[in-house]
Amino acid sequence: MSFFGLDCLGKKERELERKLQANDREYNLSFKYATNAIKTSKYNLFTFLPLNLFEQLQRIANAYFLFLLVLQVIPQISSLSWFTTVVPLVLVLSVTAAKDATDDINRYKSDNQVNNRKVQVLIDRKLRSEKWMDVQVGDIIKLENNQFVTADLLLLSSSEPLNLVYIETAELDGETNLKVRQALPVTGDLEDNIERLADFNGAVACEPPNNRLDRFAGTLSYGGQKYSLDNEKILLRGCTLRNTKWCFGLVLFGGPETKLMQNCGKSTFKRTTIDRLMNVLVLSIFGFLALMCTVLAIGNGFWEINEGSEFMVFLPRQDDNSSFLSAFLTFWSYVIILNTVVPISLYVSVEFIRLGNSFYIDWDRKMYHAHSNTPAEARTTTLNEELGQIKYVFSDKTGTLTQNIMTFKKCSINGKSYGDVYDYSGQRTEITEHTEVVDFSFNPLADLRFTFHDHALVETVKLENPEAHAFFRLLALCHTVMAEDKEEGELLYQAQSPDEGALVTAARNFGFVFQSRTPASVSIVEMGKRRSYELLAILDFNNVRKRMSVIVRSPEGKLSLYCKGADTIIYERLHPSCSKLMEVTTDHLDEFAGEGLRTLALAYRDLDEEYFRQWKQRHHEVSVSLDNREDRLDLLYEEIEKDLMLLGATAIEDKLQDGVPQTIEQLSKADIKIWVLTGDKQETAENIGYSCNLLREEMNEVFIISGNTPDDVRQELRNAQTTMKPEGADGTFFLQGGILGNSSKVVEDEMVNGEYGLVINGPSLAYALEPGMELEFLRTACMSKAVICCRVTPLQKAQVVELVKKYKQAVTLAIGDGANDVSMIKAAHIGVGISGQEGMQAVLSSDYSIAQFRFLQRLLLVHGRWSYLRMCKFLRYFFYKNFTFTFVHFWYAFFCGYSAQTVYDEWFITLYNLVYTALPVLGMSLFEQDVNDVWSFQHPQLYVPGQLNVYFSKKAFFKCALHSCYSSMVLFFIPYAAMHDTVRNDGKDVADYQSFAVLAQTCLLFAVTIQLALDMTYWTAVNAGFVLGSLAMYFAVTFAMYSNGMFLIMPSTFPFIGTARNSLNQPNIWLTILLTSVLCVLPVVAYRFLLLQVSPTINDKVMFKARQAKAMPPPPTRRARIRRTSSRRSGYAFSHAQGYGDLVTSGNFLRRPAAARSSGFTHTGRTTGFSPMGRSAGYSPSGRPQNVRFQDVEATSLQMYRTIKDPSL
């Protein structure tokens, strides 16, 4: 553990192999392995002040103001008081430090909460309750059901038969289905006998700490024997123990060395693109400031030599100083006077603006999720404007795009489609929350949370249609689901795949209730009658077969094979007599797939007893052989899975979160590229890609990168490039430069003909991210319209984000909801956490949190765009008003002997940024809108200028400086000429320094205020009050400070006695003010008018339309449900893992014999449920029905706002 944060190695020397001895702390401590304590906070009590100051002084302006403070305490140089700099500097540093301290205290509390969890540790031959942070490598610990795994453990023994444990890995890979781990038989014999466990002295030699979640290599030496260890015997920190009463484990890695923490990215200090640009601009301004001061210092030197001698008579030099020393001191005096080119109030104002825009996000009711009572939250206040510049969005899938809830939507049985609802005229109607649901009260064992709308299917089942009964009988028998009867009588389904759970639950509601299984039988209730089928074989699923079969014997002695799988696979094995039924079913499958549903085909075959006996004998022989077992088994399966009779097909919806397809559509129109990075299998990710419109059938091609060697991956990437851009596959694709002009390689955006998708799996991605191939991968991915990376580890997610950050001139955003997304969220410029069902880890590490993915479009297209627009307008105006203010000093220097005399009254200099111009610009920066949120949604193209840095860039800054230079010349030379040799109406002279100062500062204030009014497009009562109030405040304060009374109280502080009333009552003074204001504004108005006529921007066009429509949008139109017309269909149970069938038939899966149940329909009050992880079969863990629409849940933005395509835009 490092002092400031996580240090993954934790030692000076790199560990090559881990060695440890069970129950021997003294031996293990000699290696100085990390303890189990974690630390994600950045500071502690002693390091906070120096570290935080160091971070803040990385902002060049803060360092500059510290330097100014040092200058101002030197009396020979300073003409301003030291406190004018120290007070605002301390204020800025203190506010930022307080905010950083609050954030870090929250991280510290989170660490403390985890570190102080309790676990039972075997110490001195007794189980003691210890804190997680005190657990050491080599300790043996006891875990109980539903406990988090404390550290990375070697599983020793468990309460389940054959030492199996069931774990949930949602925090590691986002998957919610249960996984199985099994201990070695030699350690399983230890059971829960404390004496034997205390005597266990096994020695483990294994790999050093690393971030590979899917691999583990090691050996256990015990009792004179060596045993091989792999990933199937390891429990990783971050997992949760499920359905296992207890287990014991040996700690291998603790704290920062666990695989979970190795996959966590470091907390970084995030700065926006504008912040980084500001650093460069401030450096440029400092250079320009030094140039101006040098020019004026040289001028002072020449003036002292040529003119200064004439003043020696009545103003002798102190200590007989030379002209060189005078010039040197003048240089530093002008550094202080001209420092207003970068006033510290700029940074105070920026923090206020960011804070205000953060509150808008927190208060936005349209981003409030009523169902979960979750508002949006800006967890940081420093990144708001970056939300308006996002080019790449990296999204998790499970829990972010989807709810991970599978629902049985439709089916086709014997050529008839079920699931749609028709009106009395026979027209299909859309299913809404008001559509009547099927009444399953005839079935006391039905799952009350399951909903279906087509009454025809229930009637078909009730009429004892043989095909319908065979259909649901297959669903009740052909699966690997486990049934558990809870104490309160609740039937709970544990499924490895949510798909399977949804199908078994559907069969259950339609009268075919799966109740229990043993290694040799499956018990179901068929329309109220309990029947037990002998389970003879499970022909398991794998990615090549894409199907699963069971062979059962009915109570009547009939042998049958039931098969379900991908339709293309099933069709190849059908009996020729099914050809006509196959055609009809294919039409139904096309329709289901067109709606984005996941489809399966179902078929069966009756078997001959003698044939099966011979087949079973051959199957047994192959199963126990070691030679080419898998291939020989596949051939046996192929032999028996033929001449099948088609029953029909199912259609399951992998329930997307509300508004996901529409949100992705909107973000795509805003030219935001979306990459999905998921731990799920390839086919699952592909299906979701099609469901949410990320991948579309209209695409020219979707490339699948699945090479197993670096050469294969490179070739597949190059083939994809050649297909997308034949003429430039090997061309140069670099631009020199960086985001801020730093010298670095930037992969340019390339135009391709057509639209393409890219899908790459985890092993291939590992090769693609290697230094020699990463640019090939990035180039291919950037040429694609959509990118999906599957089976990726948390660290790979972060590596993909870092790759895009490194080689693309673009701002990135990562969004996720689980602990496996934390590293990606930390790596991106902006991290967004979804407060979903996988805990709060992602939210705690994020910069912004929302309840649903659909709110992302409002966060970016409305809040992000407005924040960026406001910040850019603020910066342009702020630099304009301060450059203009400062340049007047520069011109005045040529007329005052380069004496560092200020052109304005010292009080005006103090109050200019603090009072006179502060509120109007803050008002604009907090309330400005070019168009309202409705028009922002209707025209997502408004977002594009932010991605291109159009509103504030080096070019925009240079224009602002030129504009300020022109205005300052007008504001100095016009009043100077107007007052030269001028007298009042009564003949008295007004051409004195004080009168000129009042006139110059009044002209300046009017000019910058009018410029602000021109910049502002959205006027409110508050804005108008700020603008008029500031002018009124100027005159009130000026007349008060220049009054006789103030002079009499403090003559040296208020020397401008009577100047205001003496000057501002003259008509020629007001004519001068009017003339300067007109001359300052006229070029701006003319330039903007010409630009609007010749080259209007997208904003200009939409604002014109908005004004035409009197700021009211067209009536919103309800968006029709998106239906994809597609022939693409998904395969079977993509979350399913190979080998599960073997566990079921071996009995290893079973924990205890299922309790016998009555099969009658007389039971009442039984509550039933299915939960592979608490989320499948169409309902949530909270028990709320998922298909019920809540009246108080707001519509999605895309339901409220229909995108209108305007040809003129």
Side-chain angles (χ1 to χ4, degrees):
M1 185 80 65
S2 75
F3 199 51
F4 303 134
L6 288 176
D7 180 358
C8 293
L9 291 176
K11 291 175 283 296
K12 293 180 182 178
E13 295 181 7
R14 186 176 179 83
E15 189 177 342
L16 299 176
E17 184 184 45
R18 169 137 307 192
K19 294 181 180 179
L20 60 103
Q21 190 95 26
N23 291 315
D24 192 343
R25 279 197 170 186
E26 187 178 347
Y27 172 79
N28 298 325
L29 284 172
S30 66
F31 293 100
K32 298 181 180 178
Y33 295 139
T35 66
N36 201 42
I38 62 166
K39 184 175 186 292
T40 59
S41 53
K42 292 195 293 185
Y43 314 111
N44 62 34
L45 202 59
F46 301 104
T47 62
F48 173 73
L49 199 59
L51 261 185
N52 190 261
L53 280 175
F54 174 73
E55 284 181 349
Q56 291 201 59
L57 291 176
Q58 285 182 341
R59 184 180 275 173
I60 293 170
N62 286 345
Y64 167 65
F65 292 125
L66 188 63
F67 173 67
L68 275 185
L69 181 60
V70 174
L71 288 182
Q72 282 188 307
V73 297
I74 302 173
Q76 288 85 356
I77 294 174
S78 179
S79 56
L80 295 173
S81 303
W82 61 271
F83 57 80
T84 57
T85 298
V86 75
V87 172
L89 179 62
V90 169
L91 179 67
V92 171
L93 295 178
S94 301
V95 169
T96 308
K99 180 176 65 64
D100 291 342
T102 304
D103 292 343
D104 208 60
I105 286 170
N106 290 334
R107 284 192 289 268
Y108 173 77
K109 287 179 179 177
S110 175
D111 291 344
N112 245 13
Q113 184 183 2
V114 172
N115 288 332
N116 287 304
R117 287 175 181 166
K118 292 297 183 75
V119 68
Q120 294 186 74
V121 184
L122 185 59
I123 301 176
D124 297 331
R125 311 185 77 82
K126 290 182 181 178
L127 280 177
R128 296 182 182 176
S129 181
E130 296 282 338
K131 295 178 179 178
W132 276 28
M133 60 193 294
D134 297 328
V135 172
Q136 304 281 345
V137 170
D139 287 350
I140 292 178
I141 65 175
K142 180 182 180 181
L143 298 176
E144 295 180 343
N145 194 30
N146 296 326
Q147 271 192 332
F148 287 107
V149 177
T150 309
D152 288 358
L153 309 176
L154 168 64
L155 178 61
L156 297 178
S157 62
S158 87
S159 58
E160 307 308 297
L162 296 178
N163 300 297
L164 293 169
V165 298
Y166 305 92
I167 56 170
E168 169 200 310
T169 60
E171 288 196 11
L172 291 174
D173 56 20
E175 291 191 11
T176 55
N177 47 289
L178 298 183
K179 294 181 175 62
V180 182
R181 297 289 183 264
Q182 185 174 20
L184 287 167
V186 67
T187 60
D189 293 339
L190 300 173
E191 296 179 339
D192 59 346
N193 187 304
I194 300 302
E195 290 301 320
R196 278 190 283 175
L197 285 164
D199 291 333
F200 177 68
N201 61 352
V204 174
C206 66
E207 60 188 20
N210 61 73
N211 53 45
R212 297 190 298 273
L213 295 174
D214 57 341
R215 287 164 53 192
F216 180 83
T219 58
L220 169 67
S221 300
Y222 178 59
Q225 298 289 324
K226 268 195 175 183
Y227 303 91
S228 175
L229 302 178
D230 58 24
N231 211 42
E232 297 305 307
K233 298 172 181 63
I234 305 299
L235 304 182
L236 298 181
R237 180 178 179 137
C239 298
T240 308
L241 197 66
R242 299 290 189 201
N243 302 324
T244 306
K245 191 174 180 182
W246 53 260
C247 75
F248 284 86
L250 173 66
V251 177
L252 302 179
F253 303 109
E257 295 178 341
T258 59
K259 291 183 184 282
L260 173 68
M261 298 306 293
Q262 292 275 312
N263 272 285
C264 281
K266 285 189 176 182
S267 297
T268 56
F269 181 59
K270 293 185 177 181
R271 286 195 294 268
T272 66
T273 307
I274 285 182
D275 271 339
R276 293 190 292 274
L277 176 61
M278 285 281 293
N279 271 354
V280 173
L281 294 180
V282 167
L283 280 175
S284 306
I285 292 169
F286 291 160
F288 184 63
L289 175 64
L291 178 64
M292 286 195 297
C293 294
T294 303
V295 168
L296 297 179
I298 292 171
N300 176 267
F302 281 110
W303 190 90
E304 285 289 346
I305 293 169
N306 298 323
E307 306 288 339
S309 56
E310 298 179 12
F311 288 82
M312 291 281 288
V313 177
F314 65 93
L315 192 65
R317 291 195 183 115
Q318 292 181 355
D319 303 326
D320 203 26
N321 289 338
S322 67
S323 59
F324 174 79
L325 180 60
S326 174
F328 176 77
L329 295 175
T330 299
F331 175 87
W332 295 110
S333 297
Y334 271 115
V335 166
I336 295 172
I337 288 174
L338 302 181
N339 81 78
T340 46
V341 284
V342 189
I344 197 164
S345 59
L346 170 68
Y347 290 96
V348 179
S349 302
V350 164
E351 293 302 324
F352 270 113
I353 294 164
R354 286 173 171 166
L355 183 65
N357 286 313
S358 297
F359 282 132
Y360 290 151
I361 294 171
D362 295 342
W363 296 337
D364 192 342
R365 291 185 179 182
K366 292 177 182 175
M367 293 171 66
Y368 169 72
H369 190 235
H371 183 95
S372 60
N373 189 28
T374 308
E377 181 186 4
R379 295 174 52 80
T380 181
T381 60
T382 58
L383 303 172
N384 295 328
E385 66 270 16
E386 195 106 301
L387 289 170
Q389 299 182 273
I390 303 299
K391 181 68 176 178
Y392 289 88
V393 169
F394 300 92
S395 174
D396 178 39
K397 181 192 75 70
T398 307
T400 303
L401 299 179
T402 70
Q403 301 177 30
N404 203 31
I405 297 172
M406 306 292 183
T407 52
F408 182 86
K409 301 296 285 187
K410 295 184 179 183
C411 64
S412 171
I413 303 175
N414 196 32
K416 184 174 180 182
S417 176
Y418 299 93
D420 288 316
V421 178
Y422 298 87
D423 59 20
Y424 295 110
S425 62
Q427 296 294 316
R428 184 187 300 178
T429 60
E430 184 179 355
I431 294 174
T432 66
E433 64 267 27
H434 304 298
T435 306
E436 185 183 2
V437 297
V438 170
D439 181 12
F440 290 108
S441 59
F442 74 92
N443 179 4
L445 298 175
D447 186 339
L448 301 178
R449 287 160 287 201
F450 177 87
T451 58
F452 200 74
H453 297 90
D454 188 356
H455 296 263
L457 184 54
V458 177
E459 297 305 318
T460 302
V461 173
K462 286 182 178 178
L463 292 173
E464 299 188 358
N465 179 286
E467 288 81 11
H469 279 212
F471 181 92
F472 287 112
R473 185 180 296 115
L474 186 153
L475 294 181
L477 292 171
C478 186
H479 57 79
T480 57
V481 173
M482 303 299 295
E484 182 178 358
D485 197 8
K486 306 293 278 187
E487 291 179 6
E488 62 273 17
E490 180 182 358
L491 180 63
L492 185 69
Y493 286 161
Q494 296 288 350
Q496 195 206 10
S497 150
D499 312 59
E500 284 210 305
L503 292 174
V504 175
T505 302
R508 165 186 180 170
N509 273 59
F510 285 101
F512 290 75
V513 185
F514 165 63
Q515 281 205 312
S516 63
R517 71 160 72 245
T518 69
S521 69
V522 176
S523 296
I524 65 175
V525 176
E526 294 185 8
M527 301 305 290
K529 297 178 182 178
R530 183 180 177 90
R531 292 167 63 86
S532 181
Y533 288 79
E534 185 181 354
L535 182 60
L536 300 171
I538 292 182
L539 284 55
D540 204 6
F541 165 87
N542 66 35
N543 283 325
V544 177
R545 283 169 43 75
K546 295 188 179 179
R547 64 190 185 277
M548 172 195 176
S549 299
V550 295
I551 301 173
V552 296
R553 180 180 280 115
S554 69
E556 294 79 20
K558 183 179 177 182
L559 272 178
S560 300
L561 179 145
Y562 292 107
C563 182
K564 65 181 181 183
D567 54 281
T568 52
I569 302 295
I570 299 294
Y571 280 2
E572 294 170 1
R573 290 156 179 80
L574 291 180
H575 192 275
S577 63
C578 297
S579 57
K580 287 190 177 180
L581 177 58
M582 187 172 72
E583 291 177 9
V584 179
T585 305
T586 299
D587 291 339
H588 293 159
L589 285 166
D590 289 342
E591 183 183 338
F592 298 159
E595 297 175 25
L597 303 178
R598 304 173 64 163
T599 57
L600 292 176
L602 311 184
Y604 77 101
R605 176 190 177 188
D606 292 328
L607 297 175
D608 177 70
E609 192 77 43
E610 179 60 27
Y611 168 74
F612 176 71
R613 188 185 62 78
Q614 295 174 2
W615 184 89
K616 184 71 173 174
Q617 178 63 33
R618 285 182 288 144
H619 180 267
H620 177 72
E621 292 171 1
V622 172
S623 297
V624 296
S625 71
L626 297 176
D627 184 28
N628 207 16
R629 180 195 302 171
E630 296 297 326
D631 292 340
R632 291 171 65 190
L633 277 175
D634 283 344
L635 288 174
L636 269 177
Y637 293 166
E638 287 282 349
E639 177 189 319
I640 201 168
E641 290 173 328
K642 64 182 181 182
D643 292 335
L644 303 176
M645 304 300 293
L646 183 62
L647 282 173
T650 61
I652 292 176
E653 181 182 30
D654 187 358
K655 204 167 181 61
L656 290 172
Q657 288 192 8
D658 293 339
V660 167
Q662 295 90 338
T663 300
I664 288 176
E665 179 188 351
Q666 279 288 84
L667 296 181
S668 296
K669 288 179 179 175
D671 202 26
I672 296 172
K673 295 189 176 182
I674 300 175
W675 294 18
V676 173
L677 311 177
T678 176
D680 264 355
K681 292 192 175 182
Q682 178 181 319
E683 289 174 292
T684 313
E686 276 187 73
N687 282 324
I688 295 302
Y690 280 100
S691 298
C692 66
N693 286 351
L694 191 64
L695 300 176
R696 295 191 302 278
E697 287 300 322
E698 298 76 30
M699 284 183 166
N700 299 57
E701 191 173 345
V702 176
F703 301 106
I704 309 293
I705 309 297
S706 55
N708 294 318
T709 65
D711 292 337
D712 290 346
V713 174
R714 188 186 302 275
Q715 190 57 47
E716 288 176 0
L717 290 172
R718 287 185 174 171
N719 290 344
Q721 292 172 17
T722 304
T723 303
M724 288 188 279
K725 194 174 181 183
E727 71 281 359
D730 298 319
T732 301
F733 50 93
F734 286 118
L735 290 172
Q736 286 299 323
I739 291 179
L740 297 174
N742 300 327
S743 180
S744 62
K745 287 183 177 179
V746 177
V747 176
E748 65 176 336
D749 290 327
E750 298 179 74
M751 298 297 294
V752 295
N753 296 322
E755 291 187 353
Y756 298 88
L758 180 71
V759 179
I760 183 168
N761 63 30
S764 300
L765 184 63
Y767 295 126
L769 291 175
E770 290 176 355
M773 209 187 305
E774 60 182 8
L775 290 173
E776 292 275 4
F777 166 64
L778 183 60
R779 185 189 179 200
T780 310
C782 292
M783 291 165 75
S784 307
K785 183 75 173 175
V787 179
I788 297 178
C789 302
C790 349
R791 279 296 182 213
V792 293
T793 65
L795 188 68
Q796 283 179 325
K797 291 184 177 185
Q799 287 173 335
V800 172
V801 175
E802 292 286 3
L803 180 65
V804 174
K805 282 175 65 179
K806 183 178 180 182
Y807 290 112
K808 295 296 291 183
Q809 196 167 339
V811 181
T812 59
L813 178 146
I815 179 169
D817 73 321
N820 59 314
D821 304 313
V822 167
S823 54
M824 170 176 76
I825 285 170
K826 287 181 176 179
H829 292 104
I830 301 278
V832 178
I834 290 185
S835 46
Q837 298 175 344
E838 291 182 18
M840 297 293 287
Q841 290 83 359
V843 170
L844 292 173
S845 303
S846 66
D847 305 306
Y848 299 88
S849 71
I850 53 179
Q852 297 264 293
F853 182 83
R854 61 189 167 97
F855 296 138
L856 184 64
Q857 60 174 324
R858 186 168 181 84
L859 186 67
L860 300 187
L861 302 186
V862 177
H863 291 286
R865 200 179 68 80
W866 282 350
S867 294
Y868 173 69
L869 179 73
R870 290 164 181 164
M871 184 59 71
C872 292
K873 280 198 170 187
F874 165 79
L875 291 173
R876 291 201 308 262
Y877 175 74
F878 207 93
F879 279 123
Y880 165 76
K881 75 182 181 70
N882 282 286
F883 279 15
T884 304
F885 174 90
T886 308
F887 286 166
V888 172
H889 276 299
F890 182 75
W891 305 126
Y892 180 62
F894 293 94
F895 295 84
C896 70
Y898 311 96
S899 59
Q901 168 70 40
T902 58
V903 70
Y904 313 114
D905 170 28
E906 187 172 315
W907 279 106
F908 180 80
I909 294 172
T910 305
L911 299 177
Y912 177 70
N913 282 308
L914 191 65
V915 177
Y916 301 148
T917 60
L919 288 181
V921 70
L922 277 178
M924 178 182 73
S925 307
L926 291 174
F927 302 111
E928 177 68 358
Q929 301 174 14
D930 50 354
V931 292
N932 61 25
D933 56 348
V934 180
W935 288 95
S936 297
F937 280 122
Q938 288 181 355
H939 301 283
Q941 308 94 322
L942 287 168
Y943 191 82
V944 175
Q947 297 170 334
L948 303 175
N949 288 315
V950 169
Y951 298 145
F952 189 73
S953 60
K954 293 176 184 175
K955 181 180 177 182
F957 175 77
F958 184 68
K959 285 182 180 177
C960 173
L962 286 179
H963 182 199
S964 300
C965 185
Y966 164 77
S967 296
S968 66
M969 293 176 74
V970 170
L971 290 169
F972 175 76
F973 289 105
I974 298 294
Y976 181 83
M979 293 197 73
H980 189 64
D981 295 332
T982 301
V983 293
R984 288 163 47 93
N985 293 338
D986 56 7
K988 293 180 180 177
D989 186 16
V990 292
D992 60 276
Y993 162 71
Q994 291 188 348
S995 298
F996 174 72
V998 170
L999 176 58
Q1001 63 198 36
T1002 307
C1003 289
L1004 170 71
L1005 198 61
F1006 270 92
V1008 297
T1009 303
I1010 294 170
Q1011 181 64 43
L1012 177 78
L1014 285 176
D1015 286 346
M1016 202 145 41
T1017 55
Y1018 185 72
W1019 283 85
T1020 65
V1022 177
N1023 291 45
F1026 282 169
V1027 170
L1028 298 175
S1030 294
L1031 285 174
M1033 177 67 72
Y1034 165 71
F1035 286 109
V1037 171
T1038 299
F1039 277 101
M1041 288 197 302
Y1042 297 174
S1043 64
N1044 296 0
M1046 297 300 291
F1047 175 78
L1048 292 173
I1049 295 170
M1050 300 178 71
S1052 60
T1053 308
F1054 301 102
F1056 278 50
I1057 178 172
T1059 308
R1061 63 176 184 268
N1062 185 50
S1063 301
L1064 296 178
N1065 64 355
Q1066 298 298 305
N1068 63 329
I1069 297 294
W1070 287 103
L1071 283 173
T1072 305
I1073 294 171
L1074 178 64
L1075 179 61
T1076 53
S1077 300
V1078 170
L1079 287 175
C1080 283
V1081 168
L1082 197 60
V1084 177
V1085 174
Y1087 173 74
R1088 292 184 183 179
F1089 175 77
L1090 289 173
L1091 203 63
L1092 198 62
Q1093 301 304 315
V1094 176
S1095 179
T1097 64
I1098 177 72
N1099 296 63
D1100 296 330
K1101 294 175 181 178
V1102 177
M1103 286 166 65
F1104 178 70
K1105 282 190 68 178
R1107 283 194 297 270
Q1108 278 188 321
K1110 295 181 180 178
M1112 291 296 291
T1117 307
R1118 188 177 180 84
R1119 176 180 290 274
R1121 183 175 180 180
I1122 296 175
R1123 291 178 180 263
R1124 287 191 302 108
T1125 55
S1126 161
S1127 60
R1128 183 185 184 281
R1129 293 191 288 279
S1130 63
Y1132 158 69
F1134 299 118
S1135 308
H1136 202 298
Q1138 182 177 355
Y1140 226 58
D1142 295 336
L1143 273 174
V1144 171
T1145 53
S1146 68
N1148 297 353
F1149 194 105
L1150 301 166
R1151 294 177 293 285
R1152 63 189 72 83
R1157 297 187 186 85
S1158 169
S1159 61
F1161 273 55
T1162 56
H1163 296 291
T1164 57
R1166 178 187 289 274
T1167 57
T1168 53
F1170 150 68
S1171 172
M1173 182 12 231
R1175 302 194 206 170
S1176 299
Y1179 70 91
S1180 70
S1182 63
R1184 295 190 180 99
Q1186 292 296 305
N1187 294 308
V1188 175
R1189 292 290 296 273
F1190 286 81
Q1191 297 298 324
D1192 57 344
V1193 180
E1194 73 291 341
T1196 66
S1197 301
L1198 263 295
Q1199 289 170 331
M1200 293 190 288
Y1201 311 129
R1202 174 173 171 265
T1203 301
I1204 297 175
K1205 295 182 178 178
D1206 179 14
S1208 68
L1209 302 181

